[in-house]
Amino acid sequence: MIFREMCYDDKFSVQYFFDIMGEESASFFNVDKGNEKRVMSFFENGKPDHRFYVAKDGDETAGICFLWDIDRSMPMFGIAVREDYKGKGVGTFMLGSTFELLKAGGY
């Protein structure tokens, strides 16, 4: 499993991630498809005030996370793990990796 910044090549696997998102996850993480629109807009327009990351297991997107308003006193953070990867430590891995990247970036 690797954790890295999202890139354009991730577009289809990230869309698939949202397409197969379970009802429980969607009802919390993707209300009215808001986060799906936010993440997918990265592929169309870029979002310089956001940071998008993916946890990849080979070609599969096991999880995504994003941050925005990172330079403000209260940044926003979103994280989601694909249903078939839940309970396998992916969320913990992503959370720790995010903190490491933020520290390395001076946050």
Side-chain angles (χ1 to χ4, degrees), residues 51 53 67 70 77 96-107:
R51 305 284 189 280
Y53 302 99
L67 299 120
I70 195 167
F77 176 72
S97 298
T98 301
F99 288 143
E100 286 178 27
L101 288 171
L102 290 172
K103 281 187 214 176
Y107 293 99

Side-chain angles (χ1 to χ4, degrees), residues 60-105:
E60 300 290 329
T61 297
I64 60 172
C65 74
F66 55 84
L67 299 120
W68 71 94
D69 291 339
I70 195 167
D71 293 319
R72 297 189 182 210
S73 61
M74 188 182 283
M76 303 299 286
F77 176 72
I79 187 170
V81 175
R82 206 167 97 172
E83 302 295 325
D84 52 337
Y85 282 89
K86 287 185 177 180
K88 298 179 180 178
V90 175
T92 302
F93 169 69
M94 289 174 29
L95 191 57
S97 298
T98 301
F99 288 143
E100 286 178 27
L101 288 171
L102 290 172
K103 281 187 214 176

Side-chain angles (χ1 to χ4, degrees), residues 8 11-12 15 37-47:
Y8 189 79
K11 181 178 182 177
F12 296 107
Q15 183 61 65
K37 291 173 189 171
R38 175 183 304 277
V39 173
M40 296 312 292
S41 72
F42 162 81
F43 298 108
E44 304 305 321
N45 316 326
K47 289 190 106 34

Side-chain angles (χ1 to χ4, degrees), residues 4-17:
R4 61 167 172 75
E5 284 192 61
M6 191 179 292
C7 67
Y8 189 79
D9 291 342
D10 297 315
K11 181 178 182 177
F12 296 107
S13 68
V14 169
Q15 183 61 65
Y16 180 69
F17 176 92

